[in-house]
Amino acid sequence: MLIEVNVEDCYGIAQQSADASNLPESAASGEISAETWENWFSVWLENQAADVPVAPGYEVSLRLTADTEMQALNLQYRQLDRSTDVLAFAALEVDCPQLEEMQSSEPLYLGDIVISIDTANRQAQQQGHPLKTELAWLAAHGFLHLLGWDHPDEESLTQMLDRQEKLLQAIGLTIQTA
């Protein structure tokens, strides 16, 4: 399955902000190339094929940012005035009529995933694994949300976390969950 991932690194690691100064150079989001992101999402898409409408291709937008922007987004869209690790904005949840010709010829836009590098870095340190693994974990979580997964209760959260573990295993990463 063909998927295009638009990676937007708004974290400004190159500017060495105060938040970024305590990150090791290898922890910069640049550690994960756009090609690697596309490979990961392609594997995940294959893995979740049953959850995805048939289309000639797929698109996802991934934005890597800082806690300050994440807090603003969380307040605007969830009315929670605090940062969070990942937000997902699913395009498939929006009822938007599409011409039949578009559905058969254009890539299907799945939505946007936004990840806070600040929070991801803290969580990676707390969990004792590399930032790369935490970013993959959060991206997989966001991706499942784009496909309609949710976790309003403990049972559905457990199912979603189990699926995230499988998605990470599919790209050769492992994570310890509590």
Side-chain angles (χ1 to χ4, degrees), residues 43-57:
V43 168
W44 296 341
L45 190 61
E46 289 282 343
N47 215 285
Q48 294 298 122
D51 293 341
V52 185
V54 175

Side-chain angles (χ1 to χ4, degrees), residues 15-34:
Q15 297 169 4
Q16 290 300 314
S17 69
D19 291 337
S21 62
N22 62 2
L23 286 176
E25 278 187 42
S26 64
S29 56
E31 173 183 337
I32 304 171
S33 69

Side-chain angles (χ1 to χ4, degrees), residues 39-73:
N39 289 337
W40 288 355
F41 278 98
S42 181
V43 168
W44 296 341
L45 190 61
E46 289 282 343
N47 215 285
Q48 294 298 122
D51 293 341
V52 185
V54 175
Y58 303 88
E59 293 180 1
V60 169
S61 177
L62 175 64
R63 184 176 179 96
L64 305 172
T65 193
D67 274 349
T68 51
E69 182 182 22
M70 190 60 100
Q71 181 174 352
L73 290 170

Side-chain angles (χ1 to χ4, degrees), residues 3-9 34 37-38 41 58-64 109 111-113:
I3 187 163
E4 181 180 330
V5 180
N6 175 30
V7 180
E8 196 175 357
D9 181 0
W37 283 114
E38 282 201 2
F41 278 98
Y58 303 88
E59 293 180 1
V60 169
S61 177
L62 175 64
R63 184 176 179 96
L64 305 172
Y109 186 66
D112 303 317
I113 300 169

Side-chain angles (χ1 to χ4, degrees), residues 4 19 24 36 91 95 102 104 108 112 130 141 162 176:
E4 181 180 330
D19 291 337
T36 297
D95 288 330
M102 277 184 62
S104 62
L108 178 63
D112 303 317
H141 187 86
D162 288 346
Q176 299 296 324

Side-chain angles (χ1 to χ4, degrees), residues 29 53 67 70 84 94 98 101 103 114 146 150 156:
S29 56
D67 274 349
M70 190 60 100
T84 189
V94 178
Q98 290 189 352
E101 301 87 45
Q103 290 177 327
V114 185
L146 296 186
D150 202 2
S156 57

